[in-house]
Amino acid sequence: MATYVLIAGAWHGSWCWVEVVRMLEAAGHRVLTPNLLGTQAEDEPETTEPLQRWAEQIADIVRQEVDEVVLVGHSRAGLVISEVAERVPEKIDLLVYLAAYLLQDGQTLNDWAQRAHNADAMTNAVAFHSDGTCTIKPEFLEKIFYNRTSAHFIDFVRARTVPEPIAAFMSPIQISHERFGSVRRGYIECLQDQAIPLEMQKAMQAPFPNVMTVQLDCDHSPFFSMPDELVSALEKFRHAE
C-alpha cells in the first residue's frame, strides 16, 4: 500500500479531495491532504514568498513519513510539488501533475498563463484585492473549472473557495536536474480543461524526459467530475516501471 500526499490548487483546500480520499483509503492506502499555510479563511494569508513557505511546509510533512510518498499536485500545486521534490527527492516515489503547472527552473506560473489562448478570459475571471490576494469570481467557477461536473459539487465548491496570494503566481521555481530531475513523474491531462488548455498541458511536459501520461476526458477538476478514473490513473502511474 502507498502513502499519498494530495495538494490542492489555487482557491481550493483539502476538501476538494474528499471523493478521492474515500476511494484511496478504501483500497488500503494512507492519504494526507494538508492545507497550504495561509490558504484557509481563518488564516492570515502568506503573501510574502508563499511558494517557498509552502514547499518547506510540505517537505517537512514528507520527511516525517517512514516510506516514500506519492505526491500529487493539482493546477497551481504543480509548482509546490516540484519545489518539494527539489528539497526531499529521496522521500518521493512519484510526482503526479494533475492538469498542473510543470515548470522549468526559473519559470513562473504567470509566464505560462500569459501565453495561453485563454489568458484574457482567465484574467477577467479573477478578482484582485488590495491585501495582495485574489479570488476566482463565483460566476466563473463552473465555466472554467467545473464544466463537466454536477451542480451538486459546484455548489459545494462555491461555498468553500478562499483567497490566494498573488505572489504565488509570480514566484519563479528553483529546481535542479540532480534533485528534482531524479524523481519519477506522471502527468494527468484533462481533455476538456478550460483553465489550463490541453495544448499548454502538453507544452509544459515537452522539455522533460520520461513523463508518463494519462488522459482523462474531463474538466479541470476530475476529483469531482471523474474521481474513479482519477484514482485509477494514480494507481497506474504508481505501478508503472
Side-chain angles (χ1 to χ4, degrees):
M1 296 299 102
T3 296
Y4 283 88
V5 182
L6 312 178
I7 311 299
W11 307 299
H12 288 57
S14 60
W15 47 264
C16 76
W17 301 110
V18 60
E19 295 293 312
V20 174
V21 169
R22 177 178 59 79
M23 295 176 187
L24 288 174
E25 288 184 341
H29 300 299
R30 172 173 162 79
V31 188
L32 305 177
T33 59
N35 285 314
L36 298 175
L37 294 169
T39 61
Q40 299 309 293
E42 65 274 14
D43 298 339
E44 286 293 323
E46 292 281 334
T47 55
T48 303
E49 298 188 345
L51 180 56
Q52 298 302 315
R53 294 286 303 278
W54 293 339
E56 290 162 10
Q57 172 199 355
I58 303 304
D60 283 343
I61 291 171
V62 171
R63 286 188 188 101
Q64 294 173 31
E65 293 300 309
V66 174
D67 298 317
E68 294 178 344
V69 307
V70 178
L71 184 57
V72 182
H74 176 240
S75 199
R76 179 267 292 124
L79 283 66
V80 179
I81 68 171
S82 292
E83 287 267 7
V84 174
E86 181 68 16
R87 287 162 171 77
V88 287
E90 71 283 357
K91 295 292 293 184
I92 301 172
D93 173 55
L94 172 68
L95 295 172
V96 179
Y97 294 81
L98 173 56
Y101 286 90
L102 174 54
L103 306 186
Q104 299 176 70
D105 180 56
Q107 292 183 333
T108 71
L109 185 156
N110 195 54
D111 291 338
W112 277 94
Q114 291 304 311
R115 302 179 197 177
H117 68 72
N118 66 340
D120 290 342
M122 286 299 297
T123 299
N124 187 51
V126 176
F128 296 91
H129 310 301
S130 60
D131 65 352
T133 66
C134 61
T135 50
I136 185 75
K137 297 174 183 176
E139 63 269 28
F140 287 94
L141 272 174
E142 181 173 1
K143 181 178 180 180
I144 294 177
F145 289 160
Y146 293 97
N147 49 296
R148 291 294 185 93
T149 300
S150 72
H152 165 74
F153 285 120
I154 296 169
D155 291 340
F156 178 83
V157 171
R158 192 172 282 119
R160 289 167 174 80
T161 53
V162 290
E164 174 88 0
I166 298 168
F169 304 145
M170 313 300 290
S171 301
I173 71 165
Q174 300 173 29
I175 55 174
S176 66
H177 173 73
E178 294 73 22
R179 295 183 66 79
F180 161 80
S182 69
V183 182
R184 291 195 305 153
R185 294 181 291 274
Y187 198 104
I188 300 176
E189 297 177 352
C190 297
L191 303 185
Q192 308 303 325
D193 196 328
Q194 300 301 304
I196 303 179
L198 179 61
E199 62 268 24
M200 193 163 86
Q201 297 175 45
K202 289 183 175 296
M204 287 189 290
Q205 297 173 67
F208 296 96
N210 304 318
V211 178
M212 301 176 286
T213 303
V214 169
Q215 292 186 334
L216 299 181
D217 191 18
C218 65
D219 54 21
H220 189 58
S221 307
F223 38 80
F224 286 140
S225 61
M226 272 189 156
D228 295 273
E229 292 84 352
L230 173 54
V231 168
S232 294
L234 294 175
E235 290 287 79
K236 180 178 180 179
F237 285 144
R238 191 169 66 86
H239 292 294
E241 294 296 332

